[in-house]
């Protein structure tokens, strides 16, 4: 699908969607339980992949309005009757791979072409260290994957600079092993706030896990039991970042974003980034409401080691700001749905931005840029699509983005929200 976004001013109220990160974890946690209801879950292509995985392991997920009624497999996943298709969801692949290692038999996991290019090797090695068996069918550390269990737990050494999802997967599975799992990190952990989210969700489901000097530890023999059998998903700061950025660049008189309560989400740092850039911003933490108005922005230096999903948003902001924006510690952002460093460099350049990239850095010279509309490629990546749409709000003329349907991965209603904010969004094609 093609979506065209004209240069626009935006105003009104928008709602941050439920958190994708929390939804993935809550759905699987409910799967590990004997049963739970998950309220306000994000219904997207990625989260539905995790729902299918829970079904494949012997659970049952039923959608009833804004509630997911989940009958779990009580910590003992069945061997799936078919291949587990994780679609485009890296989180589903990692979480389901560790769950598969608990099953007494063989599980095969795969995904779309993008997911089959993403690294899984450290997690496969971790499963081997814990007494299971896991391999890539192509011997390249990428899906399709074949996993044999069950594993009992133990101590595992794993790098922390490839994906924090590996640690999340091991902690969630480790809680129901006999011996628990001690995760020792061999390199610095990137995206650490995502593991903080995991610890928060585990605690909400009655599971104890903790940081250690070496990494993380989760005792075995635990049960997943949320209070009163219920869990509610908070709003998503990653998705809210596009709405907040739209307000900062084009809010006239203002954009009010609801559902942005303080949480363990590292991407809440977008509010700090906007403040440092000089945005006209008020955040009511108690009521989860942020109001943003158009203002002249200045370039900043941002370390995205813990917040990789913010790189596209910050790059779009930097292209419209005065001065230079440097996004550093960004190499791991190359291993997402697409290489987001190169993707933003290439697509913003098509819009007239002056951009430089190196292996772990993206530099956007907003003061030298003169943004104009162009026909761009979203590259099958929901975050690239949304960030380019935000940049299009302040580009001269119209910006057309191919592959706009990929917003369904995390924010299915994104273009509807833009329309409600006053943007004359045009959709073409299937």
């Amino acid at each position: 699908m093609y979506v065209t976004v004209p240069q626009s001013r935006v105003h009104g109220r928008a709602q941050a969607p439920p958190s994708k990160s929390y939804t993935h974890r809550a759905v699987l946690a409910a799967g590990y339980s004997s049963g739970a209801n998950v309220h306000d879950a994000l219904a997207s292509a990625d989260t539905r992949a995790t729902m299918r995985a829970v079904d494949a392991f012997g659970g049952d997920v039923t959608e009833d309005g804004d509630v997911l009624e989940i009958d779990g497999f009580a910590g003992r996943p069945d061997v799936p009757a078919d291949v587990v298709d994780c679609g485009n969801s890296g989180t589903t692949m990692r979480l389901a791979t560790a769950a598969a290692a608990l099953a007494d038999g063989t599980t095969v996991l795969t995904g779309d072409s993008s997911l089959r290019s993403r690294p899984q090797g450290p997690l496969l090695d971790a499963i081997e260290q814990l007494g299971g068996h896991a391999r890539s069918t192509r011997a390249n550390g990428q899906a399709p994957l074949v996993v044999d269990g069950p594993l009992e737990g133990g101590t595992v050494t794993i790098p922390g600079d490839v994906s924090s999802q590996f640690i999340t997967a091991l902690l969630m599975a480790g809680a129901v092993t006999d011996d628990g799992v001690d995760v020792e990190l061999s390199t610095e952990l990137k995206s650490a706030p995502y593991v903080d989210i995991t610890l928060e969700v585990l605690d909400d489901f009655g599971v104890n896990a903790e940081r250690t000097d070496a990494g993380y530890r989760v005792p075995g023999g635990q049960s997943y039991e949320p209070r009163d059998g219920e869990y509610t998903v908070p709003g998503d700061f990653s998705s809210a970042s596009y709405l907040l950025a739209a307000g900062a660049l084009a809010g006239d008189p203002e954009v009010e974003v609801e559902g942005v309560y303080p949480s363990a989400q590292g991407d809440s740092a977008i509010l700090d980034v906007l403040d440092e850039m000089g945005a006209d911003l008020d955040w009511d933490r108690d009521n989860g409401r942020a109001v943003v108005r158009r203002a002249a922005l200045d370039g900043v230096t941002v370390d995205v080691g813990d917040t990789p999903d913010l790189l596209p948003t910050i790059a779009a902001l930097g292209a419209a700001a005065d001065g230079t924006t440097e996004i550093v510690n960004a190499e791991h952002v190359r291993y997402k749905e697409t290489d987001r460093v190169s993707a933003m460099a290439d697509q913003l350049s098509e819009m007239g931005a002056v951009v430089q990239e190196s292996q772990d850095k993206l530099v956007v010279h907003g003061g030298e840029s003169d943004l104009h509309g162009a026909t761009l490629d979203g590259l099958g990546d929901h975050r690239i699509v949304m960030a380019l749409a935000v940049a299009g709000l302040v580009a001269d003329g119209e910006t057309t983005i191919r592959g706009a349907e990929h917003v369904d991965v995390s924010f299915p209603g994104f273009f509807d929200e833009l329309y409600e904010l006053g943007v004359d969004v045009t959709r073409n094609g299937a």
Side-chain angles (χ1 to χ4, degrees), residues 142-411:
Q142 299 170 354
L145 309 179
V146 179
V147 181
D148 289 290
L151 51 80
E152 296 181 351
T155 299
V156 59
T157 301
I158 190 169
D161 58 353
V162 179
S163 175
S164 66
Q165 293 168 357
F166 300 153
I167 289 82
T168 286
L170 293 170
L171 292 176
M172 294 193 74
V176 297
T177 62
D178 291 338
D179 299 334
V181 171
D182 281 279
V183 178
E184 297 182 352
L185 299 173
S186 60
T187 61
E188 178 188 2
L189 178 62
K190 298 290 180 70
S191 306
Y194 287 98
V195 183
D196 293 338
I197 289 173
T198 302
L199 296 179
E200 183 181 311
V201 172
L202 288 175
D203 183 64
D204 288 338
F205 275 80
V207 172
N208 176 48
E210 61 185 3
R211 291 176 180 267
T212 65
D213 291 341
Y216 295 87
R217 179 175 186 273
V218 59
Q222 300 191 70
S223 298
Y224 282 77
E225 296 177 358
R227 182 176 301 172
D228 298 324
E230 310 285 334
Y231 179 83
T232 300
V233 175
D236 192 292
F237 273 98
S238 306
S239 295
S241 74
Y242 311 106
L243 302 173
L244 295 166
L249 293 178
D252 185 10
E254 64 186 27
V255 171
E256 183 177 320
V257 182
E258 297 184 326
V260 284
Y261 292 91
S263 77
Q265 296 175 70
D267 285 348
S268 63
I270 186 60
L271 290 156
D272 295 326
V273 173
L274 286 168
D275 184 63
E276 187 178 354
M277 296 183 85
D280 185 352
L281 168 69
D282 297 307
W283 183 23
D284 180 349
R285 292 166 173 79
D286 291 338
N287 292 301
R289 183 181 303 115
V291 177
V292 195
R293 307 166 192 88
R294 181 168 61 101
L297 303 180
D298 295 317
V300 293
T301 298
V302 183
D303 185 323
V304 293
D306 285 338
T307 55
D309 287 346
L310 289 184
L311 181 142
T313 310
I314 297 168
L317 288 165
D322 293 328
T324 297
T325 294
E326 294 192 12
I327 307 173
V328 302
N329 199 9
E331 181 175 5
H332 59 312
V333 191
R334 294 185 180 277
Y335 309 115
K336 296 292 185 176
E337 283 84 338
T338 188
D339 178 342
R340 288 177 177 161
V341 179
S342 288
M344 288 306 295
D346 293 344
Q347 299 307 306
L348 287 176
S349 294
E350 290 290 322
M351 300 180 74
V354 179
V355 184
Q356 297 170 305
E357 66 168 300
S358 57
Q359 187 62 23
D360 67 347
K361 181 188 295 187
L362 183 64
V363 180
V364 185
H365 299 282
E368 302 174 27
S369 301
D370 186 12
L371 296 182
H372 55 77
T375 297
L376 307 172
D377 193 338
L379 298 168
D381 189 318
H382 53 125
R383 303 206 183 281
I384 301 300
V385 172
M386 289 186 279
L388 295 176
V390 169
L393 297 177
V394 290
D396 186 31
E398 294 184 336
T399 299
T400 298
I401 307 167
R402 291 190 293 265
E405 71 276 6
H406 289 285
V407 298
D408 287 349
V409 165
S410 62
F411 196 167

